[in-house]
Amino acid sequence: MYRLPKTIVYYSKRYDKYVTVPEGYLSDGATGAIDIWSEGWWVHDVLCDRGTWDDGTPVNNWQASQVLQDILKAEGRWARARYWFWATWAFGGGEARKNGMF
């Protein structure tokens, strides 16, 4: 498990929504993949754990995976962005998945 050292406030331009990951939040990292430092995993974990954006609007599995992809691309991780998008969408999602695949 990893503990977030500082709060992350992420704004998704794609969805015009915010996600806040509080300091101290716990994550298991990249399940089934090599762990890297990326804000994407923290944000994705919160979306999947909670199933909502900060404003309480439900987030679906596609959106959660898309946000992960957007963050990884912004960090310059183009290859990971692509295949981790599909892996998280197909096999992950938690509460976001319960809100629908799309």
Side-chain angles (χ1 to χ4, degrees), residues 12-52:
S12 171
K13 289 186 242 179
R14 180 186 300 272
Y15 298 112
D16 191 27
K17 300 281 185 189
Y18 284 92
V19 181
T20 302
V21 187
E23 179 180 339
Y25 199 81
L26 295 175
S27 171
D28 64 352
T31 307
I34 296 170
D35 289 339
I36 60 169
W37 174 256
S38 171
E39 290 191 357
W41 284 114
W42 297 100
V43 172
H44 184 261
D45 279 1
V46 166
L47 289 173
C48 293
D49 290 347
R50 209 173 55 193
T52 63

